[in-house]
């Protein structure tokens, strides 16, 4: 009998039907429990004594509509800053991670500098780095000094480069030494081994935590407003100062959440894919 003529047995059909019923039941129970919990939260919040005042101060539709165009213009600055800072932090983190994995006593000064960099910028709060670079460095009055926006981006690259360097280093050191020995026995140099054998596997293994750090960077790009550039957060602050209403901050927060959803979805997909690949081994 060919595969096209195969029919599932009655027991197999019963098992499939049972699983479908269980799936439908689980979805219905989850939807019902979510609806009940959401209703209770809405009733608890809207029924509180100060709800009307909070609604007027934080959820005014008219003020939100008036502030939306300026906030969207500022958000475009955040998006561009995120793109270039993410690329810079990933490149810097990868270089530092490779430097920290160099072997041999001759490379000790390089390893020490790379380790000192990661220890320093992983310990420093980002806001302090931004203040130092955007307020302190311009005071040197050097020729060709970049703009405050560029200095703020450099602060984020330096800070997140330290985090990403450790993620990359963990991925590199997770590769079994036998693979390096096999590559060297085939005549590959150390540089070729890292490029063609180690780094492709290391990046694939640490992709989920790398994307998590990019999501964190997406939120922290709003701190550039502390240095003066008018991004979404600064635009919301200006609108709040004009109207004495905090709705623009809520609008900016919602836009940041919408901006993060695609990154979070990609991160979850990559994490699930890595888990399935690991389970299939």
């Amino acid at each position: 009998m060919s595969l096209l003529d195969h029919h599932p047995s009655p027991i197999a059909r019963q098992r499939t039907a049972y699983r479908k019923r269980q799936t439908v039941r689980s979805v219905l129970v989850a939807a019902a429990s979510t609806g009940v919990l959401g209703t209770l939260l809405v009733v608890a919040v809207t029924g509180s004594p100060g709800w009307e005042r909070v609604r007027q101060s934080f959820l005014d539709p008219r003020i939100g509509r008036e502030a939306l165009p300026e906030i969207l213009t500022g958000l475009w600055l955040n998006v561009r800053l995120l793109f270039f800072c993410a690329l810079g932090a990933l490149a810097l983190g990868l270089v530092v991670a490779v430097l920290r994995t160099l072997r041999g006593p001759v490379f000790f000064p390089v390893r020490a500098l790379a380790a000192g960099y990661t220890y320093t910028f992983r310990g420093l709060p980002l806001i302090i780095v931004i203040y130092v670079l955007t307020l302190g460095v311009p005071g040197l009055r050097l020729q060709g000094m970049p703009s405050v926006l560029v200095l703020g981006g450099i602060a984020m690259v330096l800070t997140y480069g330290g985090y990403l360097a450790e993620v990359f280093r963990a991925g590199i050191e997770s590769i079994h030494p036998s693979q390096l020995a096999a590559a060297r026995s085939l005549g590959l140099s150390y540089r070729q081994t890292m490029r063609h054998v180690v780094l492709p596997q290391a990046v694939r293994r640490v992709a989920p935590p790398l994307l998590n750090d990019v999501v964190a960077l997406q939120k922290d790009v709003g701190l550039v407003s502390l240095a003066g550039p008018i991004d979404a957060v600064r635009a919301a602050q200006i609108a709040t100062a004009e109207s004495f209403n905090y709705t623009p901050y809520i609008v900016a927060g919602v836009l940041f959440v919408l901006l993060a959803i695609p990154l979070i979805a990609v991160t979850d997909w990559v994490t699930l894919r890595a888990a399935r690949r690991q389970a299939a081994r």
Side-chain angles (χ1 to χ4, degrees):
M1 183 174 58
S2 64
L3 293 177
L4 296 178
D5 297 331
H6 174 72
H7 297 286
S9 64
I11 296 179
R13 289 196 297 268
Q14 292 176 3
R15 186 182 298 114
T16 302
Y18 173 77
R19 289 175 178 173
K20 289 182 179 179
R21 290 195 302 270
Q22 288 296 106
T23 301
V24 173
R25 180 177 177 274
S26 299
V27 171
L28 293 177
V29 171
S33 61
T34 302
V36 171
L37 179 60
T39 303
L40 292 176
L41 289 176
V42 171
V43 171
V45 173
T46 57
S48 59
W51 163 246
E52 188 60 30
R53 185 176 180 180
V54 171
R55 185 188 65 80
Q56 294 175 358
S57 300
F58 288 88
L59 300 172
D60 191 318
R62 181 184 60 83
I63 295 178
R65 287 193 299 269
E66 293 175 355
L68 182 59
E70 295 298 329
I71 295 176
L72 284 175
T73 302
L75 186 67
W76 174 236
L77 176 63
N78 292 119
V79 172
R80 289 179 291 168
L81 188 64
L82 171 63
F83 177 77
F84 290 106
C85 288
L87 292 180
L90 288 169
L92 178 61
L94 180 59
V95 171
V96 173
V98 172
L99 294 179
R100 289 201 65 182
T101 58
L102 293 175
R103 297 293 182 262
V106 69
F107 293 113
F108 174 78
V110 177
R111 294 196 302 270
L113 288 175
Y117 161 76
T118 56
Y119 293 159
T120 299
F121 284 96
R122 288 172 65 200
L124 278 174
L126 175 58
I127 188 173
I128 294 180
V129 182
I130 291 177
Y131 278 142
V132 169
L133 287 182
T134 59
L135 302 179
V137 173
L140 298 176
R141 301 181 183 275
L142 300 175
Q143 294 293 331
M145 180 67 63
S147 65
V148 173
L149 179 62
V150 174
L151 291 174
I154 293 174
M156 295 180 192
V157 170
L158 290 175
T159 301
Y160 273 87
Y163 293 112
L164 296 176
E166 288 302 286
V167 175
F168 278 121
R169 187 168 73 95
I172 292 173
E173 294 183 349
S174 69
I175 305 301
H176 199 275
S178 62
Q179 298 197 35
L180 281 73
R184 299 303 296 272
S185 67
L186 293 175
L188 297 180
S189 63
Y190 178 80
R191 179 179 177 182
Q192 292 173 328
T193 301
M194 293 294 295
R195 178 182 177 184
H196 298 290
V197 178
V198 177
L199 289 182
Q201 298 182 74
V203 172
R204 191 181 301 112
R205 290 184 179 184
V206 299
L210 288 177
L211 291 174
N212 280 328
D213 285 333
V214 173
V215 172
L217 176 60
Q218 180 267 330
K219 297 181 296 182
D220 285 345
V221 291
L223 293 176
V224 75
S225 62
L226 298 172
I230 302 179
D231 68 333
V233 178
R234 177 67 71 178
Q237 184 182 25
I238 294 173
T240 297
E242 293 175 348
S243 62
F244 298 99
N245 189 285
Y246 295 99
T247 302
Y249 281 121
I250 301 300
V251 174
V254 171
L255 291 177
F256 269 100
V257 171
L258 294 177
L259 180 63
I261 286 176
L263 292 174
I264 295 173
V266 172
T267 302
D268 292 341
W269 177 77
V270 172
T271 303
L272 181 60
R273 184 181 178 186
R276 289 177 177 175
R277 186 188 301 115
Q278 186 70 23
R281 292 181 178 178

